Amino acid sequence: MKLYRPKSVVSKYYTVLFSLPHWKVLAAVIVVFLVAIVVLMGQGSLPFLTYFAVSLLVLYVYSRLSKGTVFWKPKRVLGLSLTALIYVLIYAWLLGGWVVAAVASASLLSVVVLSLDGTKLVRYTVPVAISSIPVSLYTVLTTLKKGLIAYALVGAVVVAALDYVVYRVINRRRIGGYGAADIGTLFLRNWLDRDKSIEEFFESVGSPRDVDLAVLKSGDTLLVYTSLHYGPFSNVGSSLLPEELEKAFSGNYNVIVFHGFGSHDRDVVSTRELAKLRPHLVKLVNEEGESLLYHGAFEITTSEKWRVLGLVFDKLLLLMVSRPHVGIDDLPYSFSLKLKDLVLRKMNSNLLLVESHNWERAGKVDTSGLEDALVKAVEAALETRKRDPTWPMVRSISVNVKAPGVVKGVARIVEIRGSDGRDPVLMVFFRGNNMAPGSRDRLLNALEGEYNGLIEVLTNDEHTETGVRAHITYIPVHLTDEAILRLKDGVKRLVSKPFSRGLYMTTSTVKLRLLNNAAYELVYLLKKSYLETTVLLLFYVFLLSPLLSRILFTLFPV
């Protein structure tokens, strides 16, 4: 199956990331490459073999002495050594000598080592050592002029020092006390090793905000709502909240975690901060809660393609918003605040405003017509509420679905209807970050013959799968033929399962430190810094450093 590539604001930046093959594969490639050098260059290959051996040794020693380095993996040591060797081979040909090329390689080594491990002066000893030691060894063991030792050391120090100048230029753009280069390093360390140091930055720029919580229970069904965004990526912030809820409650419940309105401004700054939320949610789950009565359900569709499916209870309005064929992704939290006040004023009811996240948006954020759609939904809810209420009947099952983008294969199907059979609603839920365009409708079409009632498909937009791969930001939920068959079978099993009578609600509000405006400042910083950083590094590594190395060689008395 061809994967749909999301078109988010950061997608293009992920395209430059790459993953190295297993170290055994890389080692085999290196052996073949070195043999080819020896065959083609004969005795002239010795300086390059010496350079490669020294780079391996220095990086290995560094990986053992430097706490927390990303070079603890052998394939990264091998990969950088091979890259540096190729650089020296190319520039030895361009500059007329391997010594000048070895000195120039201090730039490449500085950029890689310090960008990944962080800029500290002591770390510059690594590129300086790799660039100067091979020249020193070869000079001692051969008839090369001894003055080359001084040239190699001084040249490597000068070239490496330029990296610090470049770092300072890039780092002048700041958020809080952190520069762009330092933030980039923190992200790369998380991407490579799931290192959570970047949370210290998020904690420093975040600020406290209210977070609404709601839990709906019925038998073995547990519906959890938070006014959080489950990001920003990987194992950072609130990305792991759905996983934490799964671990805590899936032994007793079929757990669905709703995604409220809001984007990365609603991310919790760190897992340390997120830990404060757990006891509140456990308490809500364990409380008996208020009993809800069911008035019915409705569905509205607007000319701007907004679709709102609403479930109306005596003390709660649950709205699920989607936008088929246009796409939906992280609608502004401000809509939730505004509608919450409207529902409280007109209905004296709680509101759970859920973004279905079931169709990847192809273009820019477009909320035209959304406010009108939400107001119409409230009007429809008021009309539905005129009906006499009845007991809600609830049942649910879990389905294991093996399909791209479905986190740990978790899919759940929930049905809610009145005790008199009125207004049945089916929710098909996936753990995942949105859905590939068309997947929602394809599933709805497949289920039409299996279920007679309103159906909506949802994901929770969790970001555990975001920022962990090369070339692609994340993989949305894709539905294979096998997955659809499993879901159809799941619906058949669901309708034969007894209902649980009643639905019970507990709510709370807590204050947590969220990213807020810092999330948008980060995107702005990325846009402003990316091109400048790319040009500066390419210029430094591939033009300035070789040119400077050659000039120093010409001026140095050797």
Side-chain angles (χ1 to χ4, degrees):
M1 170 181 281
K2 184 179 180 181
L3 295 180
Y4 175 82
R5 302 182 70 87
K7 299 175 179 64
S8 68
V9 294
V10 297
S11 295
K12 65 180 180 181
Y13 307 115
Y14 277 85
T15 59
V16 302
L17 300 177
F18 62 92
S19 296
L20 292 169
H22 190 277
W23 73 267
K24 292 181 179 179
V25 175
L26 199 55
V29 171
I30 288 172
V31 169
V32 173
F33 187 71
L34 294 179
V35 169
I37 291 175
V38 173
V39 171
L40 294 173
M41 301 182 68
Q43 191 172 357
S45 64
L46 289 178
F48 301 102
L49 298 179
T50 303
Y51 177 91
F52 181 74
V54 168
S55 65
L56 277 181
L57 179 61
V58 172
L59 286 172
Y60 175 78
V61 172
Y62 170 72
S63 70
R64 293 297 177 267
L65 297 180
S66 181
K67 184 179 179 180
T69 177
V70 302
F71 290 96
W72 63 274
K73 281 191 174 182
K75 70 176 184 178
R76 294 172 189 164
V77 172
L78 291 171
L80 180 54
S81 296
L82 177 60
T83 303
L85 174 60
I86 294 172
Y87 179 95
V88 172
L89 282 165
I90 293 172
Y91 278 94
W93 175 69
L94 292 174
L95 300 175
W98 76 272
V99 174
V100 180
V103 170
S105 70
S107 60
L108 173 68
L109 294 160
S110 295
V111 167
V112 175
V113 173
L114 280 81
S115 291
L116 297 180
D117 277 354
T119 300
K120 291 185 177 180
L121 294 180
V122 67
R123 292 194 175 115
Y124 283 106
T125 57
V126 175
V128 169
I130 294 175
S131 298
S132 61
I133 290 176
V135 178
S136 301
L137 283 175
Y138 211 74
T139 300
V140 170
L141 299 175
T142 64
T143 58
L144 290 178
K145 295 180 180 180
K146 306 306 178 187
L148 284 176
I149 297 177
Y151 158 73
L153 182 58
V154 172
V157 169
V158 171
V159 169
L162 281 176
D163 175 82
Y164 187 73
V165 175
V166 172
Y167 160 76
R168 296 290 293 183
V169 171
I170 296 171
N171 229 35
R172 79 187 189 283
R173 302 185 191 276
R174 310 181 75 79
I175 299 178
Y178 289 74
D182 295 329
I183 297 170
T185 293
L186 292 172
F187 169 77
L188 288 172
R189 290 178 63 81
N190 179 265
W191 184 70
L192 289 168
D193 290 334
R194 296 176 65 82
D195 182 282
K196 291 189 177 184
S197 299
I198 196 169
E199 290 190 333
E200 296 175 10
F201 161 64
F202 290 150
E203 287 176 335
S204 72
V205 298
S207 52
R209 290 292 186 273
D210 286 338
V211 176
D212 294 328
L213 308 174
V215 168
L216 306 177
K217 291 188 303 179
S218 180
D220 61 356
T221 303
L222 184 67
L223 310 177
V224 181
Y225 170 91
T226 76
S227 60
L228 292 172
H229 182 265
Y230 307 124
F233 48 77
S234 186
N235 59 344
V236 174
S238 43
S239 301
L240 286 174
L241 180 56
E243 176 66 18
E244 291 297 319
L245 294 172
E246 190 78 15
K247 289 178 180 177
F249 303 119
S250 63
N252 299 316
Y253 297 100
N254 296 315
V255 183
I256 285 184
V257 182
F258 289 129
H259 177 278
F261 275 35
S263 185
H264 289 284
D265 56 321
R266 300 295 297 176
D267 287 338
V268 179
V269 294
S270 67
T271 47
R272 285 182 292 271
E273 187 73 8
L274 186 66
K276 300 175 183 178
L277 184 63
R278 182 182 174 117
H280 294 280
L281 287 170
V282 170
K283 181 182 177 183
L284 291 179
V285 172
N286 290 334
E287 289 178 353
E288 183 176 343
E290 294 182 272
S291 176
L292 299 177
L293 292 175
Y294 186 57
H295 288 276
F298 65 88
E299 178 186 34
I300 65 167
T301 302
T302 71
S303 58
E304 290 89 357
K305 305 293 187 182
W306 294 105
R307 178 183 188 263
V308 183
L309 194 159
L311 287 84
V312 184
F313 302 89
D314 58 336
K315 302 167 189 171
L316 172 69
L317 174 59
L318 172 60
L319 299 179
M320 292 176 282
V321 181
S322 60
R323 203 177 192 186
H325 307 286
V326 177
I328 188 169
D329 185 26
D330 293 347
L331 298 171
Y333 181 62
S334 56
F335 283 96
S336 185
L337 293 175
K338 194 171 183 178
L339 197 69
K340 181 180 178 181
D341 290 339
L342 179 65
V343 170
L344 185 62
R345 188 171 69 252
K346 288 198 169 186
M347 302 182 65
N348 192 29
S349 177
N350 290 291
L351 170 70
L352 299 186
L353 185 59
V354 176
E355 185 181 327
S356 299
H357 244 83
N358 54 21
W359 197 296
E360 273 287 342
R361 189 188 71 237
K364 295 181 179 180
V365 176
D366 175 20
T367 59
S368 58
L370 175 57
E371 186 170 356
D372 288 342
L374 294 175
V375 171
K376 288 178 181 178
V378 174
E379 293 171 353
L382 286 167
E383 192 64 30
T384 304
R385 204 174 186 183
K386 293 177 181 178
R387 302 164 65 186
D388 291 334
T390 185
W391 285 103
M393 308 297 286
V394 183
R395 56 187 174 186
S396 63
I397 61 165
S398 294
V399 181
N400 183 260
V401 174
K402 294 181 180 179
V406 181
V407 177
K408 296 188 175 179
V410 174
R412 300 215 160 92
I413 307 175
V414 178
E415 182 184 15
I416 299 176
R417 66 169 65 195
S419 58
D420 55 2
R422 78 173 67 167
D423 297 352
V425 175
L426 193 74
M427 291 179 274
V428 183
F429 165 81
F430 299 96
R431 285 185 63 188
N433 190 342
N434 219 316
M435 299 183 73
S439 294
R440 169 193 177 272
D441 282 9
R442 187 178 172 212
L443 179 58
L444 291 183
N445 292 335
L447 295 181
E448 278 183 354
E450 308 294 335
Y451 187 78
N452 184 24
L454 297 174
I455 307 175
E456 189 53 283
V457 184
L458 311 96
T459 72
N460 60 3
D461 188 35
E462 70 172 90
H463 281 44
T464 50
E465 295 292 301
T466 300
V468 298
R469 296 178 179 83
H471 308 306
I472 188 169
T473 318
Y474 58 89
I475 298 175
V477 171
H478 294 64
L479 292 181
T480 61
D481 292 339
E482 180 186 354
I484 290 177
L485 287 174
R486 281 179 172 270
L487 292 165
K488 289 176 68 174
D489 179 68
V491 172
K492 291 177 182 177
R493 289 191 289 117
L494 176 73
V495 297
S496 65
K497 180 179 178 179
F499 282 103
S500 294
R501 180 184 173 90
L503 184 63
Y504 301 89
M505 175 180 69
T506 53
T507 62
S508 180
T509 299
V510 299
K511 197 171 287 290
L512 292 176
R513 202 170 187 85
L514 308 183
L515 279 182
N516 299 308
N517 288 336
Y520 303 110
E521 291 176 24
L522 274 168
V523 174
Y524 178 77
L525 179 71
L526 182 59
K527 290 180 178 178
K528 292 288 287 185
S529 302
Y530 183 75
L531 180 60
E532 176 188 83
T533 300
T534 302
V535 171
L536 271 174
L537 293 179
L538 291 176
F539 173 74
Y540 164 56
V541 173
F542 296 107
L543 185 60
L544 180 59
S545 295
L547 183 61
L548 180 61
S549 180
R550 185 66 200 177
I551 291 173
L552 287 174
F553 183 77
T554 304
L555 298 177
F556 216 89
V558 292

